[in-house]
Amino acid sequence: MGTQGDGNHFLFVGVSKNTGNTMLVTHHGSRAPGAMLYDKGMKVANRFRQEISPETLRENAWIPYETEEGKQYWEALQLIRNWTKENHESIHNATLEKLNIERQNRYWNEHNFVFRDGDLFYHAKGATPLDDKFLPDITGPRLIPLNMSEPVLIVQGKTNDRNLGFAPHGAGRNFSRTQHKKSLAHKTIEEIFEEETKGLDIRFFTNDIDISELPSAYKSAKNVRAQIEEYGLCEVLDEVMPYGCIMAGDVQKNAPWKKKKKFRKS
């Protein structure tokens, strides 16, 4: 609780284009509890797959909702959802307390989650829910991050034939992490970092620059915005203009808990 995790998880600070207010955006998922639930769920799903449809690929296994296991898994997902929300709020609350300031507003949304509408379940990989029916506790608009050098979009929208009630989660990767690093092998890490973060305060929690999280690793933010407009996916209400961010980075390389273990051994 109260930690960000690793990889593309971040804490982003910027200024509202509309109001000039400072805004804090955190991005992380359900962390270890969610991963453990997923592993357990996939084992149960595979058991049903073998009974119902053994020719179906293992990665496409599912748990029938009408079963006891299906209902229990859905309830467990809601617990994980609440835990994740609390985790975000704990980070924001700690920041407010440290700075001795009060918040003016707060809202959040999941992405890459399972959403339900009656007997339909939406596996929204790479998608952010727009329709209020997917979010029982929604208190404001939705957030779409693009990359560390671009604004975070604050959006709203309605369900239409093109979006099914969802907006893009953000700008996905152009390449795998490994491919991206190979494509930039002719430059030093410091050169790449300087070029791509000019004018911004960008830090990595592990103090190691992970170039696979820099803007060039992701799809063009300009193209994502153009597609949102062209296809009427959602309406942009405001933008959080970037000041800087703290990226989680590759914690497997320099994990704080690994340091503690080494310290205990010595």
Side-chain angles (χ1 to χ4, degrees):
M1 178 61 71
T3 60
Q4 282 279 97
D6 64 355
N8 68 348
H9 295 169
F10 62 75
L11 182 150
F12 179 102
V13 178
V15 176
S16 163
K17 190 175 182 180
N18 290 349
T19 67
N21 290 341
T22 299
M23 303 184 79
L24 173 66
V25 180
T26 50
H27 166 255
H28 64 258
S30 54
R31 312 288 317 289
M36 288 187 284
L37 174 63
Y38 172 79
D39 287 342
K40 288 180 179 294
M42 283 304 294
K43 288 175 183 174
V44 175
N46 190 51
R47 194 182 76 226
F48 279 106
R49 178 191 68 85
Q50 291 172 330
E51 294 174 4
I52 300 169
S53 180
E55 68 278 6
T56 297
L57 295 175
R58 186 184 181 93
E59 54 266 32
N60 292 335
W62 76 99
I63 306 174
Y65 178 66
E66 62 274 9
T67 64
E68 182 181 356
E69 292 92 335
K71 290 181 171 57
Q72 287 178 346
Y73 188 63
W74 178 252
E75 289 172 6
L77 283 173
Q78 305 321 298
L79 289 172
I80 289 296
R81 177 186 189 275
N82 290 334
W83 186 92
T84 305
K85 184 178 180 181
E86 288 290 333
N87 200 33
H88 280 275
E89 290 188 355
S90 69
I91 292 172
H92 287 244
N93 290 342
T95 305
L96 291 169
E97 183 178 348
K98 185 73 173 177
L99 296 176
N100 193 27
I101 56 176
E102 293 184 5
R103 65 179 172 93
Q104 187 176 54
N105 201 354
R106 175 185 283 166
Y107 40 89
W108 92 300
N109 60 264
E110 308 101 320
H111 60 269
N112 290 354
F113 198 64
V114 184
F115 300 93
R116 182 183 178 190
D117 179 20
D119 60 354
L120 286 177
F121 292 85
Y122 294 82
H123 294 259
K125 179 64 177 172
T128 291
L130 288 172
D131 199 311
D132 288 355
K133 67 187 177 186
F134 297 130
L135 299 164
D137 55 357
I138 198 65
T139 58
R142 319 300 189 253
L143 298 157
I144 302 180
L146 296 170
N147 66 56
M148 63 175 65
S149 68
E150 293 283 341
V152 173
L153 305 181
I154 299 178
V155 307
Q156 68 178 12
K158 296 181 179 178
T159 299
N160 60 45
D161 291 340
R162 289 187 182 274
N163 66 23
L164 300 178
F166 295 88
H169 155 42
R173 289 186 173 277
N174 276 319
F175 318 99
S176 69
R177 293 175 187 271
T178 304
Q179 279 182 305
H180 180 65
K181 288 177 179 178
K182 283 182 179 177
S183 72
L184 296 172
H186 60 289
K187 297 180 181 179
T188 67
I189 289 175
E190 289 71 25
E191 285 173 338
I192 299 163
F193 183 74
E194 177 66 25
E195 287 174 13
E196 298 198 31
T197 64
K198 201 173 182 75
L200 299 172
D201 184 350
I202 306 297
R203 311 179 191 191
F204 286 84
F205 180 73
T206 57
N207 294 319
D208 289 307
I209 297 170
D210 181 358
I211 62 171
S212 68
E213 289 302 334
L214 297 181
S216 62
Y218 290 88
K219 294 175 183 174
S220 163
K222 182 180 178 181
N223 289 349
V224 173
R225 296 180 70 148
Q227 289 167 358
I228 286 174
E229 188 172 341
E230 180 182 355
Y231 297 109
L233 300 178
C234 59
E235 175 191 359
V236 178
L237 300 176
D238 194 4
E239 301 176 35
V240 187
M241 311 306 291
Y243 174 81
C245 73
I246 302 173
M247 298 295 303
D250 184 1
V251 298
Q252 293 306 318
K253 182 179 177 183
N254 194 16
W257 57 87
K258 285 188 175 181
K259 287 183 180 178
K260 288 179 183 178
K261 287 180 181 177
K262 287 179 183 177
F263 179 76
R264 284 198 295 268
K265 285 179 182 177
S266 60

